[in-house]
Amino acid sequence: MTFTSFSLADIEMPSHIEALREEVRAFLRSEREAGTYVREPAGWDRYDAAFSRKVAARGWIGMTWPRQYGGHERTTLERYVVTEELLAAGAPVRAHWLADRQFGPLLLAAGSESQKRTYLPRIAAGECFVCVGMSEPDSGSDLASIRTSAVAVEGGWRVSGRKVWTSYAHMAHIMNLFARTTPFDSNNRHAGVTQFIVELNSPGISIRPIINLAGDHDFNEVLFDEVFVPGENVIGDVGNGWKQVSGELTHERAGSERWLNAYGVLVHLLQSAGAQPEPRAAERIGRLVSHLWTLHRMSFSLAGLLNRGITPHVEAALVKDLGNQFDQDIPETARAVLQEEDRACLPADDRFNAMLDRALLYAPSYPIRGGTREILRGIIARGLGLR
């Protein structure tokens, strides 16, 4: 594995990037004025199919994909700017997010021609939403230990098993399923796993809600009882799932969504603290803003690497690890700057307290999603030759 630099020195900033950023901001301003969305405590992590179709109509889903698959053949840097603006504004983009971020690139890299023509145009139009089936009971962060199995039968595969923590499975159309197709081999733990496209209305699938500690329903348990999956729904080569999913997770870890989960709290903190906060508060807020800018630069650098055809596994792990810490630092700093007696005096219609409450409840989950801190630091250590 080759460690590459985070330097932006060799990434040329296209002249039209800022114009594109302004185009996105104008769209979001228009939508807010029309009352189609407001910044909520959940931020961008809200499922709104109608809003996703509006984003699709602007050409902002599948931006980098080839035109014959419904894409728009724009650059990774252009996509980065669009997505960063949508997330920072708290726009409800969760419905199409996973498909646009990682499932589409997975099909482009490993999918069959039929899969690309069947699914990518629907995703780019905001008409097909995807969830991912990886986590399982008792497997923790050890993805190699999954037990959901797919057995070859005439015309396809029979899938049996159980997935948990499956975000928005109850609202998605298809699942990107990670299943074992040969028995577990302790001498080659990453072998024998395969990815499948599973239509979630298939007979034998049961989806049950998992209500999280905040009282929200985003997670699900998904049960597979001898579910038939056609052979043409295998993604890539049978048994090559581990390699494919490693590339897919880089897209999941590299983006700005890894450090913009609590951004609404920071926005409200800046508004509530006023133009002249006391020196200690100014120092704390300034530290957060400087970290924000650093993460922005790092993520933009990753977009530049992806634009050059480089898959930055190590760098993506580093950005996610730092971003998760940033998402946890924001509510803690907010509590220190605006203490309980100050927050009690905020106007009834001020959203700061609601923003802060949600950020505090969700903060422990950020280092778990998309790879735990321990997994990420193991990747970084290997990339640096330390293990």
Side-chain angles (χ1 to χ4, degrees):
M1 186 176 290
T2 302
F3 187 71
T4 50
S5 171
F6 280 107
S7 171
L8 289 171
D10 58 347
I11 296 178
E12 182 180 352
M13 177 73 76
S15 59
H16 66 285
I17 283 287
E18 289 307 313
L20 177 60
R21 190 183 293 278
E22 288 304 318
E23 180 185 343
V24 182
R25 289 179 178 178
F27 164 76
L28 292 167
R29 188 163 51 247
S30 173
E31 291 298 316
R32 284 194 297 270
E33 291 172 354
T36 57
Y37 94 95
V38 295
R39 187 189 295 277
E40 294 283 352
W44 64 271
D45 190 12
R46 290 177 289 153
Y47 217 92
D48 187 331
F51 193 89
S52 286
R53 285 193 288 273
K54 288 184 180 181
V55 174
R58 303 292 300 220
W60 293 337
I61 301 178
M63 286 183 69
T64 62
W65 306 351
R67 291 189 186 279
Q68 67 262 38
Y69 305 130
H72 304 279
E73 298 186 355
R74 303 188 77 165
T75 68
T76 302
L77 296 178
E78 290 173 311
R79 181 184 180 275
Y80 177 84
V81 167
V82 170
T83 56
E84 187 178 63
E85 288 298 321
L86 292 170
L87 298 175
V93 296
R94 192 65 167 81
H96 69 264
W97 194 257
L98 189 143
D100 180 48
R101 178 185 65 189
Q102 64 192 75
F103 186 69
L106 170 66
L107 287 192
L108 288 170
S112 68
E113 183 63 22
S114 174
Q115 290 169 353
K116 294 173 188 175
R117 293 193 179 279
T118 299
Y119 293 105
L120 294 181
R122 291 173 55 201
I123 291 171
E127 296 174 350
C128 179
F129 305 134
V130 182
C131 66
V132 61
M134 291 188 189
S135 299
E136 295 189 9
D138 305 320
S139 65
S141 296
D142 184 9
L143 193 57
S145 68
I146 63 162
R147 290 181 286 188
T148 294
S149 65
V151 178
V153 297
E154 183 176 356
W157 301 78
R158 288 284 179 192
V159 176
S160 299
R162 180 183 175 204
K163 296 291 180 181
V164 293
W165 319 122
T166 309
S167 299
Y168 297 104
H170 60 304
M171 303 177 82
H173 301 96
I174 60 175
M175 172 185 282
N176 172 14
L177 175 70
F178 192 68
R180 183 159 291 288
T181 43
T182 60
F184 178 75
D185 179 358
S186 60
N187 293 318
N188 190 1
R189 303 178 79 254
H190 298 164
V193 287
T194 302
Q195 289 181 289
F196 298 87
I197 300 171
V198 178
E199 299 280 349
L200 288 172
N201 60 359
S202 301
I205 293 179
S206 301
I207 301 175
R208 300 172 180 171
I210 298 175
I211 305 302
N212 65 28
L213 291 176
D216 298 330
H217 176 201
D218 53 351
F219 292 140
N220 296 274
E221 175 188 51
V222 184
L223 301 172
F224 297 85
D225 182 9
E226 297 285 315
V227 176
F228 177 74
V229 178
E232 59 265 30
N233 281 21
V234 171
I235 304 173
D237 298 325
V238 173
N240 197 39
W242 187 269
K243 182 179 179 182
Q244 292 171 190
V245 85
S246 297
E248 181 185 338
L249 287 174
T250 296
H251 290 278
E252 182 177 353
R253 294 165 179 163
S256 49
E257 69 268 35
R258 291 307 172 194
W259 43 273
L260 284 173
N261 290 294
Y263 182 69
V265 177
L266 179 57
V267 171
H268 279 256
L269 175 62
L270 289 167
Q271 294 170 348
S272 299
Q276 297 293 331
E278 57 94 12
R280 178 60 176 155
E283 177 188 341
R284 286 170 162 161
I285 295 171
R287 184 180 296 275
L288 282 182
V289 173
S290 64
H291 287 180
L292 174 74
W293 185 248
T294 300
L295 287 164
H296 158 77
R297 291 285 300 249
M298 293 173 75
S299 282
F300 191 77
S301 176
L302 296 192
L305 293 174
L306 289 168
N307 207 44
R308 286 156 42 186
I310 299 171
T311 303
H313 297 287
V314 179
E315 296 88 337
L318 183 56
V319 167
K320 181 182 182 298
D321 189 31
L322 294 173
N324 290 157
Q325 185 62 54
F326 179 69
D327 274 336
Q328 293 181 319
D329 288 345
I330 289 177
E332 287 303 320
T333 300
R335 291 175 69 190
V337 171
L338 282 183
Q339 298 190 2
E340 188 171 0
E341 57 269 26
D342 301 317
R343 299 196 298 272
C345 297
L346 293 174
D349 61 348
D350 192 291
R351 304 304 305 278
F352 180 82
N353 284 317
M355 293 274 179
L356 180 59
D357 288 347
R358 189 187 190 279
L360 288 168
L361 282 170
Y362 274 79
S365 73
Y366 296 139
I368 300 173
R369 303 178 184 214
T372 64
R373 182 162 287 160
E374 291 73 18
I375 295 290
L376 298 174
R377 292 182 178 180
I379 294 171
I380 295 166
R382 280 194 298 274
L384 294 174
L386 299 177
R387 57 179 293 193

